[in-house]
Amino acid sequence: MQVLEEGLSAGTHRVRVLAQFTALEAGGILLDTSGFVVSGLGGSDLRPLWASPAKAEIRQGESLDATMVFELPDKAIALVLKGPDGTRLSLGVSHHTGG
């Protein structure tokens, strides 16, 4: 958690993403939060600064809450959370406006 205690890089802000994963597959799923990235128009993929849990096995029918913290450029637009399996989730603009 030490990385979260360090100051922000110039021109950035931190965003916490809370996600719930549910295993529907008979064999369950292996969750590795390091495989998630946030990307935006004209930017590179940004990996989580911190995540909990880092890795977990979820059995069929079970759910798990995960938290990921990203440091994003202040001017970033059209942000998308991308998962290792190709899933995509738009983050919208509310993290910029507070609304």
Side-chain angles (χ1 to χ4, degrees):
M1 190 106 128
Q2 181 179 358
V3 70
L4 296 180
E5 294 173 1
E6 296 173 7
L8 292 169
S9 300
T12 66
H13 62 284
R14 290 190 180 144
V15 173
R16 179 178 57 192
V17 176
L18 306 173
Q20 184 176 73
F21 298 90
T22 301
L24 302 176
E25 296 80 1
I29 58 174
L30 294 174
L31 175 65
D32 182 355
T33 52
S34 69
F36 285 82
V37 297
V38 170
S39 64
L41 290 178
S44 59
D45 289 346
L46 301 167
R47 300 216 171 268
L49 288 178
W50 178 85
S52 179
K55 294 182 179 184
E57 184 175 337
I58 309 170
R59 294 184 183 143
Q60 183 181 29
E62 292 182 348
S63 295
L64 177 76
D65 294 332
T67 302
M68 295 171 274
V69 177
F70 296 88
E71 190 166 287
L72 306 176
D74 288 340
K75 306 265 185 213
I77 57 172
L79 295 176
V80 175
L81 176 68
K82 295 192 273 186
D85 60 354
T87 57
R88 297 170 55 89
L89 176 67
S90 173
L91 297 181
V93 296
S94 63
H95 72 279
H96 282 295
T97 62

Coordinates of all heavy atoms in Angstrom, one line a residue:
M1 N 0.8 -1.2 0.0 CA 0.0 0.0 0.0 C 0.9 1.3 0.0 O 0.4 2.3 -0.1 CB -0.9 0.0 1.2 CG -2.0 1.0 1.2 SD -3.6 0.4 0.8 CE -4.5 1.0 2.1
Q2 N 2.2 1.1 0.1 CA 3.1 2.2 0.2 C 3.0 3.1 -1.1 O 3.1 4.3 -1.0 CB 4.5 1.7 0.3 CG 5.5 2.9 0.4 CD 6.9 2.4 0.6 OE1 7.2 1.2 0.7 NE2 7.9 3.3 0.6
V3 N 2.7 2.4 -2.3 CA 2.6 3.2 -3.5 C 1.5 4.2 -3.4 O 1.6 5.3 -4.0 CB 2.4 2.2 -4.7 CG1 1.1 1.6 -4.7 CG2 2.7 3.0 -6.0
L4 N 0.4 3.9 -2.7 CA -0.7 4.9 -2.6 C -0.3 6.0 -1.6 O -1.0 7.1 -1.7 CB -1.9 4.2 -2.0 CG -2.5 3.1 -3.0 CD1 -3.7 2.5 -2.3 CD2 -2.8 3.6 -4.3
E5 N 0.7 5.9 -0.8 CA 1.1 6.9 0.1 C 2.0 7.9 -0.6 O 2.2 9.1 -0.1 CB 1.7 6.4 1.4 CG 0.8 5.5 2.2 CD 1.4 4.8 3.4 OE1 2.7 4.9 3.5 OE2 0.7 4.1 4.1
E6 N 2.6 7.6 -1.7 CA 3.4 8.5 -2.4 C 2.6 9.5 -3.1 O 1.4 9.3 -3.4 CB 4.2 7.7 -3.5 CG 5.2 6.7 -2.9 CD 5.9 5.8 -3.9 OE1 5.7 6.0 -5.1 OE2 6.5 4.9 -3.5
G7 N 3.2 10.7 -3.4 CA 2.5 11.8 -4.0 C 2.1 11.5 -5.5 O 2.7 10.6 -6.1
L8 N 1.1 12.2 -6.0 CA 0.7 12.0 -7.4 C 1.8 12.6 -8.3 O 2.5 13.5 -8.0 CB -0.6 12.8 -7.6 CG -1.8 12.3 -7.0 CD1 -2.9 13.3 -7.1 CD2 -2.3 11.0 -7.6
S9 N 1.8 12.0 -9.5 CA 2.7 12.6 -10.6 C 2.0 13.8 -11.0 O 0.7 13.9 -11.0 CB 2.8 11.6 -11.7 OG 3.4 10.4 -11.3
A10 N 2.7 14.8 -11.5 CA 2.2 16.0 -12.0 C 1.1 15.8 -13.1 O 1.4 14.9 -14.0 CB 3.3 16.9 -12.6
G11 N 0.0 16.4 -13.1 CA -1.0 16.3 -14.1 C -1.8 15.0 -14.1 O -2.4 14.6 -15.1
T12 N -1.9 14.4 -12.9 CA -2.6 13.1 -12.8 C -3.6 13.2 -11.6 O -3.5 14.0 -10.7 CB -1.7 11.9 -12.6 OG1 -1.0 12.0 -11.3 CG2 -0.7 11.8 -13.7
H13 N -4.5 12.2 -11.6 CA -5.4 12.0 -10.4 C -5.6 10.5 -10.3 O -5.3 9.7 -11.2 CB -6.7 12.7 -10.6 CG -7.5 12.3 -11.8 ND1 -7.2 12.6 -13.1 CD2 -8.6 11.5 -11.8 CE1 -8.1 12.0 -13.9 NE2 -9.0 11.3 -13.1
R14 N -6.0 10.1 -9.1 CA -6.2 8.6 -8.9 C -7.7 8.3 -8.9 O -8.6 9.1 -8.4 CB -5.6 8.2 -7.6 CG -4.1 8.2 -7.6 CD -3.5 7.6 -6.5 NE -2.0 7.7 -6.6 CZ -1.2 7.9 -5.7 NH1 -1.6 8.0 -4.4 NH2 0.1 8.0 -5.9
V15 N -8.0 7.1 -9.5 CA -9.4 6.7 -9.6 C -9.4 5.3 -9.0 O -8.6 4.4 -9.4 CB -9.8 6.6 -11.1 CG1 -11.2 6.0 -11.2 CG2 -9.9 8.0 -11.6
R16 N -10.4 5.0 -8.2 CA -10.6 3.7 -7.6 C -11.8 3.0 -8.3 O -12.8 3.6 -8.4 CB -10.9 3.8 -6.1 CG -11.2 2.5 -5.4 CD -11.4 2.6 -4.0 NE -12.6 3.5 -3.8 CZ -12.9 4.0 -2.6 NH1 -12.2 3.8 -1.6 NH2 -14.0 4.8 -2.5
V17 N -11.5 1.9 -8.8 CA -12.5 1.1 -9.5 C -12.9 -0.1 -8.7 O -12.1 -0.9 -8.3 CB -12.0 0.6 -10.9 CG1 -13.0 -0.3 -11.6 CG2 -11.6 1.8 -11.8
L18 N -14.2 -0.2 -8.3 CA -14.7 -1.3 -7.6 C -15.5 -2.2 -8.5 O -16.4 -1.7 -9.2 CB -15.7 -0.8 -6.4 CG -15.1 0.3 -5.5 CD1 -16.1 0.8 -4.6 CD2 -13.9 -0.3 -4.7
A19 N -15.2 -3.5 -8.5 CA -15.8 -4.4 -9.4 C -16.2 -5.7 -8.7 O -15.5 -6.1 -7.8 CB -14.9 -4.7 -10.6
Q20 N -17.3 -6.3 -9.1 CA -17.7 -7.6 -8.5 C -17.6 -8.6 -9.7 O -18.2 -8.4 -10.7 CB -19.1 -7.5 -8.0 CG -19.5 -8.8 -7.3 CD -20.8 -8.7 -6.6 OE1 -21.8 -8.7 -7.3 NE2 -20.8 -8.7 -5.3
F21 N -16.9 -9.7 -9.4 CA -16.8 -10.8 -10.4 C -17.6 -12.0 -9.8 O -17.4 -12.4 -8.7 CB -15.3 -11.2 -10.5 CG -14.5 -10.0 -11.0 CD1 -13.9 -9.1 -10.2 CD2 -14.3 -9.8 -12.4 CE1 -13.1 -8.0 -10.7 CE2 -13.6 -8.8 -12.9 CZ -13.0 -7.9 -12.0
T22 N -18.3 -12.6 -10.7 CA -19.1 -13.8 -10.4 C -18.7 -14.9 -11.4 O -18.7 -14.7 -12.6 CB -20.6 -13.5 -10.5 OG1 -21.0 -12.5 -9.6 CG2 -21.4 -14.7 -10.2
A23 N -18.4 -16.1 -10.9 CA -18.0 -17.2 -11.7 C -19.3 -17.9 -12.1 O -20.0 -18.5 -11.3 CB -17.1 -18.1 -10.9
L24 N -19.5 -18.0 -13.4 CA -20.7 -18.7 -14.0 C -20.2 -20.0 -14.6 O -21.0 -21.0 -14.7 CB -21.4 -17.9 -15.0 CG -21.9 -16.5 -14.6 CD1 -22.5 -15.7 -15.7 CD2 -22.9 -16.7 -13.4
E25 N -18.9 -20.1 -14.9 CA -18.4 -21.3 -15.6 C -18.3 -22.4 -14.6 O -18.0 -22.2 -13.4 CB -17.0 -21.0 -16.2 CG -17.0 -20.0 -17.3 CD -17.0 -18.5 -16.8 OE1 -17.1 -18.3 -15.6 OE2 -17.1 -17.6 -17.6
A26 N -18.5 -23.6 -15.0 CA -18.4 -24.8 -14.2 C -17.1 -25.0 -13.5 O -17.0 -25.4 -12.3 CB -18.7 -26.1 -15.0
G27 N -16.0 -24.6 -14.1 CA -14.7 -24.7 -13.5 C -14.3 -23.5 -12.7 O -13.2 -23.4 -12.2
G28 N -15.2 -22.5 -12.6 CA -14.8 -21.3 -11.9 C -13.9 -20.4 -12.7 O -13.7 -20.7 -13.9
I29 N -13.4 -19.4 -12.1 CA -12.5 -18.5 -12.8 C -11.3 -18.1 -12.0 O -11.4 -18.1 -10.7 CB -13.2 -17.2 -13.3 CG1 -13.8 -16.4 -12.2 CG2 -14.2 -17.5 -14.4 CD1 -14.3 -15.0 -12.6
L30 N -10.2 -17.9 -12.6 CA -9.0 -17.3 -11.9 C -9.0 -15.8 -12.2 O -8.9 -15.4 -13.4 CB -7.7 -18.0 -12.4 CG -7.6 -19.5 -12.1 CD1 -6.4 -20.1 -12.8 CD2 -7.6 -19.7 -10.6
L31 N -9.0 -15.0 -11.2 CA -8.9 -13.6 -11.3 C -7.5 -13.1 -11.1 O -6.9 -13.4 -10.1 CB -9.9 -12.9 -10.4 CG -9.9 -11.4 -10.3 CD1 -10.3 -10.8 -11.6 CD2 -10.7 -10.9 -9.2
D32 N -7.0 -12.3 -12.0 CA -5.7 -11.7 -11.9 C -5.9 -10.2 -12.2 O -5.9 -9.9 -13.4 CB -4.6 -12.4 -12.8 CG -3.3 -11.8 -12.7 OD1 -3.1 -10.8 -11.9 OD2 -2.3 -12.3 -13.3
T33 N -6.0 -9.4 -11.2 CA -6.3 -8.0 -11.4 C -5.2 -7.2 -12.1 O -5.4 -6.2 -12.7 CB -6.6 -7.3 -10.1 OG1 -5.6 -7.5 -9.1 CG2 -8.0 -7.8 -9.6
S34 N -3.9 -7.8 -12.1 CA -2.8 -7.1 -12.8 C -3.1 -7.1 -14.4 O -2.4 -6.3 -15.1 CB -1.5 -7.8 -12.5 OG -1.4 -9.1 -13.1
G35 N -4.0 -7.9 -14.8 CA -4.3 -8.0 -16.3 C -5.2 -6.9 -16.7 O -5.5 -6.8 -17.9
F36 N -5.8 -6.1 -15.8 CA -6.7 -5.0 -16.2 C -5.9 -3.7 -16.5 O -4.9 -3.5 -15.9 CB -7.7 -4.7 -15.1 CG -8.7 -5.8 -15.0 CD1 -8.5 -7.0 -14.3 CD2 -10.0 -5.6 -15.5 CE1 -9.5 -7.9 -14.2 CE2 -11.0 -6.5 -15.5 CZ -10.7 -7.7 -14.8
V37 N -6.4 -3.0 -17.5 CA -5.8 -1.7 -17.8 C -6.9 -0.7 -18.1 O -8.0 -1.0 -18.4 CB -4.9 -1.8 -19.1 CG1 -3.7 -2.7 -18.9 CG2 -5.7 -2.2 -20.3
V38 N -6.5 0.6 -17.9 CA -7.4 1.7 -18.4 C -6.7 2.4 -19.5 O -5.5 2.6 -19.5 CB -7.6 2.7 -17.2 CG1 -8.2 4.0 -17.8 CG2 -8.4 2.1 -16.1
S39 N -7.4 2.6 -20.6 CA -6.9 3.3 -21.8 C -7.9 4.4 -22.2 O -9.1 4.3 -21.9 CB -6.6 2.3 -22.9 OG -7.9 1.7 -23.4
G40 N -7.3 5.4 -22.9 CA -8.1 6.5 -23.3 C -7.6 6.9 -24.7 O -6.7 6.4 -25.2
L41 N -8.3 7.9 -25.3 CA -8.0 8.3 -26.6 C -6.5 8.9 -26.6 O -6.2 9.7 -25.8 CB -8.9 9.4 -27.1 CG -10.3 9.0 -27.4 CD1 -11.2 10.2 -27.8 CD2 -10.3 8.0 -28.6
G42 N -5.7 8.4 -27.5 CA -4.4 8.9 -27.7 C -3.4 8.6 -26.5 O -2.3 9.1 -26.4
G43 N -3.8 7.7 -25.6 CA -3.0 7.4 -24.5 C -2.6 5.9 -24.5 O -3.0 5.1 -25.3
S44 N -1.6 5.6 -23.6 CA -1.2 4.2 -23.5 C -2.0 3.5 -22.4 O -2.7 4.1 -21.7 CB 0.3 4.2 -23.1 OG 0.5 4.8 -21.9
D45 N -1.9 2.2 -22.4 CA -2.6 1.4 -21.4 C -2.0 1.6 -20.0 O -0.7 1.6 -19.9 CB -2.6 -0.1 -21.7 CG -3.5 -0.4 -22.9 OD1 -4.3 0.4 -23.3 OD2 -3.3 -1.5 -23.4
L46 N -2.8 1.9 -19.0 CA -2.3 2.2 -17.7 C -2.7 1.0 -16.7 O -3.9 0.7 -16.6 CB -2.8 3.5 -17.1 CG -2.5 4.7 -18.0 CD1 -3.3 5.9 -17.6 CD2 -1.0 5.0 -17.8
R47 N -1.7 0.4 -16.1 CA -2.0 -0.7 -15.2 C -2.3 -0.2 -13.8 O -2.0 0.9 -13.4 CB -0.8 -1.6 -15.2 CG -0.4 -2.2 -16.5 CD 0.1 -3.6 -16.4 NE 0.2 -4.2 -17.8 CZ -0.7 -4.8 -18.4 NH1 -1.9 -5.1 -17.8 NH2 -0.6 -5.3 -19.6
P48 N -3.0 -1.0 -13.0 CA -3.3 -0.6 -11.6 C -2.0 -0.3 -10.8 O -1.0 -1.0 -10.9 CB -4.1 -1.8 -11.0 CG -4.3 -2.7 -12.1 CD -3.4 -2.4 -13.3
L49 N -2.1 0.8 -10.0 CA -1.0 1.0 -9.0 C -1.1 0.0 -7.9 O -0.1 -0.4 -7.3 CB -1.2 2.4 -8.4 CG -0.9 3.7 -9.2 CD1 -1.3 4.9 -8.4 CD2 0.5 3.7 -9.7
W50 N -2.4 -0.3 -7.6 CA -2.6 -1.2 -6.4 C -3.9 -1.9 -6.7 O -4.9 -1.4 -7.3 CB -2.7 -0.4 -5.2 CG -3.0 -1.1 -3.9 CD1 -2.2 -1.8 -3.1 CD2 -4.3 -1.4 -3.4 NE1 -2.8 -2.4 -2.1 CE2 -4.2 -2.1 -2.2 CE3 -5.6 -1.0 -3.7 CZ2 -5.2 -2.5 -1.4 CZ3 -6.7 -1.4 -2.9 CH2 -6.5 -2.1 -1.8
A51 N -4.0 -3.2 -6.3 CA -5.3 -3.9 -6.4 C -5.4 -4.9 -5.3 O -4.4 -5.4 -4.8 CB -5.3 -4.6 -7.8
S52 N -6.6 -5.2 -4.9 CA -6.9 -6.2 -3.9 C -8.2 -6.9 -4.2 O -9.2 -6.2 -4.4 CB -7.0 -5.5 -2.5 OG -7.3 -6.5 -1.5
P53 N -8.2 -8.2 -4.4 CA -7.0 -9.0 -4.3 C -6.2 -9.0 -5.6 O -6.7 -8.6 -6.6 CB -7.6 -10.4 -4.1 CG -8.9 -10.4 -4.9 CD -9.4 -9.0 -4.6
A54 N -4.9 -9.3 -5.5 CA -4.1 -9.4 -6.7 C -4.5 -10.5 -7.5 O -4.6 -10.4 -8.8 CB -2.6 -9.4 -6.3
K55 N -4.7 -11.7 -6.9 CA -5.1 -12.9 -7.6 C -6.1 -13.7 -6.7 O -6.0 -13.6 -5.5 CB -3.9 -13.8 -7.9 CG -3.0 -13.2 -8.9 CD -1.8 -14.1 -9.2 CE -0.9 -13.5 -10.3 NZ 0.2 -14.3 -10.7
A56 N -7.0 -14.3 -7.3 CA -8.0 -15.1 -6.6 C -8.6 -16.2 -7.5 O -8.7 -16.0 -8.7 CB -9.1 -14.2 -6.0
E57 N -9.0 -17.3 -6.8 CA -9.8 -18.3 -7.5 C -11.2 -18.2 -7.1 O -11.5 -18.1 -5.9 CB -9.3 -19.7 -7.2 CG -9.9 -20.8 -8.0 CD -9.3 -22.1 -7.7 OE1 -8.1 -22.2 -7.3 OE2 -10.0 -23.1 -7.9
I58 N -12.2 -18.1 -8.0 CA -13.6 -17.9 -7.7 C -14.3 -19.2 -8.2 O -14.2 -19.5 -9.4 CB -14.2 -16.7 -8.3 CG1 -13.3 -15.4 -8.0 CG2 -15.6 -16.4 -7.9 CD1 -13.7 -14.2 -8.8
R59 N -15.0 -19.9 -7.3 CA -15.7 -21.1 -7.7 C -17.0 -20.7 -8.3 O -17.6 -19.7 -8.0 CB -15.9 -22.0 -6.4 CG -14.6 -22.5 -5.9 CD -14.9 -23.4 -4.7 NE -13.6 -23.9 -4.1 CZ -13.5 -24.0 -2.8 NH1 -14.4 -23.9 -2.0 NH2 -12.3 -24.4 -2.4
Q60 N -17.5 -21.7 -9.1 CA -18.8 -21.4 -9.8 C -19.9 -21.0 -8.8 O -20.0 -21.6 -7.7 CB -19.3 -22.7 -10.5 CG -20.6 -22.5 -11.3 CD -21.0 -23.8 -12.0 OE1 -20.8 -24.9 -11.5 NE2 -21.7 -23.6 -13.1
G61 N -20.6 -20.0 -9.1 CA -21.7 -19.5 -8.3 C -21.3 -18.5 -7.2 O -22.1 -17.9 -6.6
E62 N -19.9 -18.4 -7.0 CA -19.4 -17.4 -6.0 C -19.1 -16.1 -6.6 O -18.8 -16.0 -7.8 CB -18.2 -18.0 -5.3 CG -18.5 -19.2 -4.4 CD -17.2 -19.7 -3.7 OE1 -16.1 -19.3 -4.1 OE2 -17.4 -20.5 -2.8
S63 N -19.1 -15.0 -5.8 CA -18.8 -13.7 -6.2 C -17.7 -13.2 -5.4 O -17.5 -13.6 -4.2 CB -20.0 -12.8 -6.1 OG -21.0 -13.1 -7.0
L64 N -16.9 -12.2 -5.9 CA -15.8 -11.6 -5.2 C -15.7 -10.2 -5.6 O -15.8 -9.8 -6.8 CB -14.5 -12.3 -5.6 CG -13.2 -11.8 -5.0 CD1 -13.1 -12.2 -3.6 CD2 -12.0 -12.2 -5.8
D65 N -15.6 -9.3 -4.6 CA -15.4 -7.9 -4.8 C -13.9 -7.6 -5.0 O -13.1 -8.1 -4.2 CB -16.0 -7.1 -3.7 CG -17.5 -7.2 -3.6 OD1 -18.1 -7.4 -4.6 OD2 -18.0 -7.1 -2.5
A66 N -13.5 -6.8 -5.9 CA -12.1 -6.4 -6.1 C -12.0 -4.9 -6.2 O -13.0 -4.2 -6.7 CB -11.6 -7.0 -7.4
T67 N -10.9 -4.3 -5.8 CA -10.6 -2.9 -5.9 C -9.4 -2.7 -6.6 O -8.4 -3.4 -6.4 CB -10.5 -2.3 -4.4 OG1 -11.7 -2.6 -3.7 CG2 -10.2 -0.8 -4.5
M68 N -9.4 -1.8 -7.6 CA -8.2 -1.4 -8.4 C -8.0 0.1 -8.3 O -9.0 0.8 -8.5 CB -8.3 -1.9 -9.8 CG -8.4 -3.5 -9.9 SD -8.8 -4.0 -11.6 CE -10.6 -4.0 -11.5
V69 N -6.8 0.6 -8.1 CA -6.5 2.0 -8.1 C -5.6 2.3 -9.3 O -4.6 1.7 -9.4 CB -5.9 2.4 -6.8 CG1 -5.5 3.9 -6.8 CG2 -6.8 2.1 -5.6
F70 N -6.0 3.3 -10.1 CA -5.3 3.7 -11.3 C -4.9 5.2 -11.1 O -5.6 6.0 -10.5 CB -6.1 3.6 -12.5 CG -6.5 2.1 -12.9 CD1 -7.6 1.6 -12.4 CD2 -5.7 1.4 -13.7 CE1 -8.0 0.3 -12.7 CE2 -6.0 0.1 -14.0 CZ -7.2 -0.5 -13.5
E71 N -3.7 5.5 -11.6 CA -3.3 6.9 -11.7 C -3.5 7.4 -13.2 O -2.8 6.8 -14.1 CB -1.9 7.1 -11.3 CG -1.5 8.6 -11.1 CD -0.2 8.8 -10.4 OE1 -0.2 8.6 -9.1 OE2 0.8 9.1 -11.0
L72 N -4.4 8.3 -13.4 CA -4.8 8.7 -14.8 C -4.4 10.1 -15.1 O -4.5 11.0 -14.2 CB -6.3 8.5 -14.9 CG -6.9 7.1 -14.6 CD1 -8.4 7.2 -14.7 CD2 -6.3 6.1 -15.4
P73 N -4.1 10.4 -16.3 CA -3.9 11.8 -16.7 C -5.1 12.7 -16.5 O -6.2 12.2 -16.8 CB -3.5 11.8 -18.2 CG -3.2 10.3 -18.4 CD -3.9 9.5 -17.4
D74 N -4.9 13.9 -16.0 CA -6.1 14.8 -15.8 C -6.9 15.1 -17.0 O -8.1 15.2 -16.9 CB -5.6 16.2 -15.2 CG -5.1 16.0 -13.8 OD1 -5.4 15.1 -13.1 OD2 -4.3 16.9 -13.3
K75 N -6.3 15.1 -18.1 CA -7.0 15.5 -19.4 C -7.5 14.3 -20.2 O -8.0 14.4 -21.3 CB -6.1 16.4 -20.3 CG -5.6 17.6 -19.6 CD -6.4 18.8 -19.8 CE -5.8 20.0 -19.2 NZ -6.6 20.9 -18.7
A76 N -7.4 13.1 -19.6 CA -7.7 11.9 -20.4 C -9.2 11.9 -20.6 O -10.0 12.2 -19.8 CB -7.3 10.6 -19.6
I77 N -9.6 11.4 -21.9 CA -11.0 11.3 -22.2 C -11.3 9.9 -22.8 O -10.4 9.2 -23.2 CB -11.4 12.4 -23.2 CG1 -10.6 12.3 -24.5 CG2 -11.3 13.8 -22.6 CD1 -11.0 13.2 -25.6
A78 N -12.5 9.6 -22.8 CA -13.0 8.3 -23.4 C -12.3 7.1 -22.7 O -11.8 6.3 -23.4 CB -12.8 8.3 -24.9
L79 N -12.3 7.1 -21.4 CA -11.5 6.1 -20.7 C -12.3 4.8 -20.7 O -13.5 4.8 -20.5 CB -11.3 6.5 -19.3 CG -10.3 7.7 -19.1 CD1 -10.2 8.2 -17.7 CD2 -9.0 7.4 -19.7
V80 N -11.6 3.7 -20.8 CA -12.2 2.4 -20.9 C -11.4 1.4 -20.0 O -10.1 1.5 -20.0 CB -12.2 1.8 -22.3 CG1 -12.7 0.4 -22.3 CG2 -13.1 2.7 -23.2
L81 N -12.0 0.7 -19.1 CA -11.4 -0.4 -18.4 C -11.4 -1.6 -19.2 O -12.5 -2.1 -19.6 CB -12.1 -0.6 -17.0 CG -11.6 -1.7 -16.2 CD1 -10.2 -1.4 -15.6 CD2 -12.6 -2.0 -15.0
K82 N -10.3 -2.2 -19.5 CA -10.2 -3.4 -20.3 C -9.7 -4.6 -19.4 O -8.7 -4.4 -18.7 CB -9.2 -3.2 -21.5 CG -9.8 -2.2 -22.5 CD -9.0 -2.2 -23.8 CE -7.8 -1.3 -23.7 NZ -7.1 -1.2 -25.0
G83 N -10.4 -5.7 -19.5 CA -10.0 -6.9 -18.8 C -9.1 -7.8 -19.7 O -9.1 -7.7 -20.9
P84 N -8.5 -8.7 -19.0 CA -7.6 -9.6 -19.7 C -8.3 -10.5 -20.7 O -7.7 -11.0 -21.7 CB -6.9 -10.4 -18.6 CG -7.7 -10.3 -17.4 CD -8.5 -9.0 -17.6
D85 N -9.6 -10.7 -20.6 CA -10.4 -11.6 -21.5 C -11.0 -10.8 -22.6 O -11.9 -11.3 -23.3 CB -11.4 -12.4 -20.7 CG -12.4 -11.5 -20.0 OD1 -12.2 -10.2 -20.0 OD2 -13.4 -12.0 -19.4
G86 N -10.7 -9.5 -22.7 CA -11.2 -8.7 -23.8 C -12.5 -7.9 -23.4 O -13.0 -7.1 -24.2
T87 N -12.9 -8.0 -22.2 CA -14.1 -7.2 -21.7 C -13.7 -5.7 -21.7 O -12.6 -5.4 -21.5 CB -14.6 -7.6 -20.3 OG1 -13.5 -7.5 -19.4 CG2 -15.1 -9.1 -20.4
R88 N -14.7 -4.9 -21.9 CA -14.5 -3.4 -21.9 C -15.6 -2.8 -21.2 O -16.8 -3.1 -21.3 CB -14.4 -2.9 -23.3 CG -13.3 -3.5 -24.2 CD -13.4 -3.1 -25.6 NE -13.5 -1.7 -25.9 CZ -12.5 -0.8 -26.1 NH1 -11.3 -1.3 -26.0 NH2 -12.7 0.4 -26.3
L89 N -15.3 -1.8 -20.3 CA -16.3 -1.0 -19.6 C -15.9 0.4 -19.6 O -14.8 0.8 -19.2 CB -16.3 -1.5 -18.1 CG -17.2 -0.8 -17.2 CD1 -18.7 -1.0 -17.5 CD2 -17.0 -1.2 -15.7
S90 N -16.8 1.3 -20.1 CA -16.6 2.7 -20.2 C -16.6 3.3 -18.8 O -17.5 3.0 -18.0 CB -17.6 3.4 -21.1 OG -17.5 4.8 -21.0
L91 N -15.6 4.1 -18.5 CA -15.6 4.8 -17.2 C -16.3 6.1 -17.2 O -16.5 6.7 -16.1 CB -14.1 5.0 -16.7 CG -13.3 3.7 -16.5 CD1 -11.9 4.0 -16.1 CD2 -14.0 2.8 -15.5
G92 N -16.7 6.6 -18.3 CA -17.5 7.9 -18.4 C -16.7 9.0 -17.9 O -15.4 9.0 -17.8
V93 N -17.3 10.2 -17.7 CA -16.6 11.4 -17.3 C -16.9 11.8 -15.8 O -16.3 12.8 -15.4 CB -17.0 12.6 -18.2 CG1 -16.5 12.3 -19.6 CG2 -18.5 12.9 -18.1
S94 N -17.7 11.0 -15.1 CA -18.0 11.4 -13.7 C -16.8 11.5 -12.8 O -16.8 12.3 -11.9 CB -19.1 10.5 -13.1 OG -18.6 9.2 -13.0
H95 N -15.7 10.7 -13.1 CA -14.6 10.9 -12.3 C -13.9 12.2 -12.4 O -13.1 12.6 -11.6 CB -13.6 9.7 -12.5 CG -12.9 9.8 -13.8 ND1 -13.4 9.4 -15.0 CD2 -11.6 10.2 -14.1 CE1 -12.5 9.6 -15.9 NE2 -11.4 10.1 -15.4
H96 N -14.2 12.9 -13.5 CA -13.6 14.3 -13.7 C -14.5 15.3 -13.1 O -14.0 16.3 -12.6 CB -13.5 14.6 -15.2 CG -12.3 14.0 -15.8 ND1 -11.0 14.3 -15.5 CD2 -12.2 13.0 -16.8 CE1 -10.2 13.6 -16.3 NE2 -10.9 12.8 -17.0
T97 N -15.8 15.1 -13.1 CA -16.7 16.1 -12.7 C -17.2 16.0 -11.2 O -17.8 16.9 -10.7 CB -18.0 16.1 -13.6 OG1 -18.6 14.9 -13.5 CG2 -17.6 16.4 -15.0
G98 N -17.0 14.8 -10.7 CA -17.5 14.5 -9.3 C -19.0 14.3 -9.3 O -19.6 14.1 -8.2
G99 N -19.6 14.1 -10.4 CA -21.1 13.9 -10.5 C -21.5 12.6 -11.0 O -21.0 11.7 -11.3

